[in-house]
Amino acid sequence: MTAGPLVVLVGPMGSGKSTVGALLAERLGAPYRDTDADIVAAEGREISDIFVEDGEEHFRALERAAVATAVAEHEGVLALGGGAILDAGTRALLAGLPVAYLSMDVDEAVRRVGLNTARPLLAVNPRRQWRELMEARRHLYEEVARAVVATDDRTPEEVAQAVLDALELKDV
Ligand code: S3P
């Protein structure tokens, strides 16, 4: 039985989970881990290839397992893929953990993610897809979050500081 992650970051793609997660890890003197990277390493292929070759459902099954493993064994900063919270079992796993939801508004999202083809869910009509995606997910991010941290017009350093403050974590 481990103590569990110090921080779990959730939020949509482009909200800065990896950048902020790496900064938080540095501030907390703890390792950083990212379930997207775990899946890519285990599968030996990019996430966009998993989506194209095997479909989203298969990716979600890989993701569910990756999150369960990481939550059980990681004691540092953990960032989850943007859609991980779609799974009810994953949401149950996050109950009671120090989860921060990095939020951002639509304009900011389209600016940051735009037409990035490595993000398969936003490849076509990003603004409309973004709206639909957030309508489906916003309440799920809020459900799992202990803290909601807005990222609009903030630098990654400012967001990291806001996460530390909101979760009452002390840096090293
Ligand atoms: C996804 C977000 C991505 C990645 C996959 C699906 C999503 O992760 O897991 O492309 O459904 O929002 P990031 O949030 O790290 O970009």
Side-chain angles (χ1 to χ4, degrees):
M1 185 75 197
T2 66
L6 286 173
V7 186
V8 182
L9 296 177
V10 300
M13 52 199 119
S15 59
K17 297 183 298 282
S18 332
T19 309
V20 171
L23 286 172
L24 283 170
E26 206 178 293
R27 295 276 302 265
L28 292 165
Y32 171 72
R33 181 162 169 171
D34 175 330
T35 55
D36 279 345
D38 288 350
I39 295 167
V40 169
E43 288 287 302
R45 52 188 176 150
E46 292 306 316
I47 287 174
S48 51
D49 293 332
I50 302 174
F51 266 74
V52 170
E53 290 164 14
D54 294 322
E56 178 169 353
E57 203 178 318
H58 181 71
F59 172 75
R60 295 299 173 202
L62 297 174
E63 182 171 51
R64 183 180 311 128
V67 175
T69 302
V71 165
E73 59 184 38
H74 187 64
E75 296 185 321
V77 177
L78 180 65
L80 307 189
I85 45 74
L86 293 171
D87 184 73
T90 294
R91 296 199 299 280
L93 273 181
L94 298 177
L97 296 182
V99 178
Y101 161 31
L102 304 188
S103 70
M104 64 180 166
D105 70 23
V106 176
D107 289 341
E108 181 90 10
V110 174
R111 242 190 334 268
R112 289 192 205 173
V113 183
L115 287 167
N116 183 345
T117 49
R119 301 288 202 343
L121 294 179
L122 291 185
V124 183
N125 195 346
R127 181 172 294 271
R128 199 188 75 208
Q129 301 222 17
W130 187 266
R131 279 222 186 78
E132 287 175 6
L133 186 128
M134 286 310 292
E135 272 159 28
R137 295 183 179 180
R138 188 174 290 108
H139 69 288
L140 301 177
Y141 290 129
E142 288 170 352
E143 177 188 319
V144 299
R146 188 180 291 179
V148 181
V149 175
T151 64
D152 311 288
D153 304 319
R154 277 175 159 170
T155 65
E157 287 77 12
E158 288 168 339
V159 175
Q161 184 61 54
V163 171
L164 293 173
D165 292 343
L167 294 175
E168 297 181 1
L169 290 166
K170 298 225 182 319
D171 54 359
V172 288

